Amino acid sequence: MSLFKARDWWSTALGEKEEFDQGCLCVADIDNSGSGQAKITVGSYMGYLRIFNPHPVKPGDGMQAEDLLLEVQLRDPILQVEVGKFVSGTELLHLAVLHCRKLCVYAVSGTLGNVEHGNQYQIKLMYEHNLQRTACNMTYGPFGGVKGRDLICIQSMDGMLMLFEQESYAFGRFLPGFLLPGPLTYSSRTDSFITVSSCQQVESYKYQVLAFATDADERQETEQQKLSSGKRLVMDWVLNIGEQALDICVVSFNQTSSVFVLGERNFFCLKDNGQIRFMKKLDCSPSCFLPYCSVSEGTINTLVGNHNGMLHVYQDVTLKWATQLPHIPVAVKVGNLQDLKGVIVTLSDSGHLQCSYLGTDPSLFQAPKVESREINYEELDREMKELQKIIKESTKTQGTSILHIVITLQSRLAVQKTKLSICVQPPLALTHDQFIFGDIESCRSKAVALSVFLKGNCPPAELEGNAVASYSMPTDLNPEGIPRVAQCKFRLPLRLICFPAQPSKTANHKLTIDTNKSPVSLVNLFPDFADQSNEDQVNVLGFQFLTGSRITLLASKTSQRYRIQSEQLEDLWLITKELTFRLEEHFKKQNSKDFTCTFSGSVPLQEYFKLIDRHFELRLNLLKRRLLTRFKDKTPAPLQHLDTLLEGTYRQIIALADAAEENQANMFQAFTKLKSATQLVIMLISLWQKLSTDQVTILEATFLPLMQDTQELGWEESVDAAISHLLRTCLSKSSKEQVLTLTSQLSIPKDTSRLKKHITLLCDRLAKGGRLCLSTDTNIQQTMVMPVNPVISPGRTGWQVLN
C-alpha cells in the first residue's frame, strides 16, 4: 500500500441505496462501559440506526458479525445523532436522534450474553419531543452554565431556535434576518450559539440574550407588538466571511476557545470574540472537517476531507499530512477504538464507513536476483565509444542556445529620463527588454547585461536586434527637457541558433551563388564553425539548427561558386544571408570594392507557394473555430438530462479551445517559416536582376508589410495589394494598367491563386526589364522617410550607442 493512502484498519458498507450526511455519524462511549472504548453510531435518511464496535483480527479486515452491536429501523429519516447527558437525574451518556418532526432520546445498554456470540444490545426510549416546525440540525451543551447535564437546541428550517431542558421544552426564538438555515454549534466558554447565515456571515448569540428576548412561539404578531413587548434578539458579534459555510465547530484548550468555520474555499479560525485568528485557502473543494487539539503547545490540528477523496491534516495553516481515501467523506470523527488511539472514522454519502490510521508499513519486497551472464567486452567497448561520442557532441553544443550580451550607453551631454528598450524577432526572446536609468551625466556611460535565447521549435527569420534609447535634453526654454530617441541595430551571431554538424550529401533544395572573385576557404569564412585541423572542411561545412534542421554549405574548388542545400526551403535563408555577408566583409578587408554576388538559377516559386498555401490553410482553420459564448433565453423550457448536455458542451468547448490554441501556435511557426522563405526569395530576385539598394527596399516593403500576422489583417491580402499596386504602376505594360482599381478595405481572400499569379507576374516583368520605383507616369510621387541611424561603434563587451 502506498505511503500516501489511509491505512485501512476496519471498513464496511452500510445497507443498499441509503443516503448519509455530516450529522449522521457519532463516535462515543454510548453504552457507558467505563473503559473509554468508543463505539460508532450511524443514522441514515432511510431511518436505520446502527451501532458498531470494530475489533478486526488484523488491519484491513472487513466487518465481522459481532462488530454490529445494534441495528434498528426507526420510522422517520434520521437527520443527526449526538451523544450527551440528556436525561435528568443522571450523568450517564444517552443518544439523541433528530428526525424531521421529532426529537428522541434513547438509552443504549448491553446485557451479558449466555453464548459465545457476545453481549446483547438494545435501546430504550427515555423521552421524545414532537416538533411544531421542520428541523434542520441541532447542537447541545451546558446552556447557561448548568452542571452535570446537557441541553439541546434545535434549528428549524424557517429559522427558529427551539431550546429543550432535557425532558421539557424551554422556549423558542427566531433568528433575525433569516433566509436559509446554516451550521450551528455551541460555545461553552462564552455561553453562546454560533451559526452562519445565508448572508455569508458568522453570527453569535448569547444564551442569556435568547432567554430574555421576545417569545417566538407565535410569529404572527404585529410590528407594534414586537417593539412594545420583551427585548429584541441582538447579536453578540458578527463576521462576514464572503462564502457559504459547510460546517462549524468550537475547540477549547488552555482556557481559551477557537471557532472553526469550514467554507466552500477556505477554513477560518476565529477567536471567541469574532476576530480572525487565521485562515487557510484550500486547493480543493472541501466536504467535511474536524478540528482538535494538537500535541504541540498552542496549535490546533484540523482534518479536512475534500471531493478528490483526500484527507488533509493541517497544524494551524501548515499542511502536515495528506492521505488518500477510497471514498469522498461527508463526515469525519476521531476516537479510541480497541486500545488504538486516534482512529480516523470517515463516512461517505453512500454509506462507506471506514476506520483508518496514518502511517506506513515496512516494505518486505526484495528484488529478485538476476541471472548472471558472461561479459562481452567488445560490445561494452563499442557502447562506451558511442556514449563518449554523444557526450563529446553534447559538450560541443553547450552554450549555443543562449547568448550573453552587454549594451553600453554613452552620452556627451547630460540627459534625463533615460530608458532603453531592446527588441529581437520571435521566436528569439530576451531575459530583459526594458531598462530605466533616469539621469545620466555628461561623458558618462551606462552598461546593461542581458541574455538572448531561442524560445520555440523553429529558427527565427531574422538575427538582427534593435536597441532604442529614449531620453530628454533640457534647454533654457524647456527645463523639463526635449524628448529624443537614439536607435542602434545589432546583429546576433549565427552560433546562437545552430552548431557545427556533419555535412549531408543529399538534400531536396539547392541554391548556387556566383561571385566575381576567387573562392575563399570556408575555414576562413566560418572559423566559429570549422575545425582547423580538418582539411576536408575547407570546401564543405555542416550546420544544424537547434530545432533539428541540417544545412550543408559547399565551395567549389575550381569555379567561383558556393552551394547551399537543405531539406526545407526556409532553412536556406539564414545560411545564405550569412554567407553573402561574410563574403562582403572578407573582400572589404582586402580593399576590394567591386565584389558582387549573383544568382543565375530559377527562383523556387513553386516551393515558396507551398509555404503560402500552408499559412493560408491555418488562417482558414482559425476562422472555422467559433465558440458559443451566450445563451439568452430568459424562460428556458425544461430539459431532461441537462447535466449530460452541459457536460458534452463543456467538453466540446474545451476541445475547440485546445484546437484553437494549437492552431495559433502552428500559424506562428508557419508565418516564421514564410518570412524566412520570403526573405530568401527577395535576396534571390535581387541577385538575379542585380537590383539597387532602393529597389531591394521596395521589394522588402512589398513582401514583408507585417511584423506579425493577425486575423484582422493577414499577410496574403497585404502582399497581394502591394504587388497589384506595383503591377499597375512602375511594372505596368501600358497606361491602361495604371488605372488603380484597388479597394480601400482589405479582407481575407477565398484562396491564394490570385496572389501566386501576381507573384509570378512580378518576377516575369522584372525578368523582361521592369524596374521598381515609387514614381508613376502620372507624376504621383511618394516619399519614404528613412530613420537616421546613430553612430555605432563595436565594443569589447557589446554595442555602444553614441549620442
Side-chain angles (χ1 to χ4, degrees), residues 348-360:
S348 72
D349 59 351
S350 60
H352 190 135
L353 180 65
Q354 175 171 317
C355 299
S356 54
Y357 60 94
L358 305 180
T360 60

Side-chain angles (χ1 to χ4, degrees), residues 516-527:
N516 60 348
K517 297 293 182 180
S518 59
V520 184
S521 171
L522 296 183
V523 175
N524 297 332
L525 278 181
F526 294 88

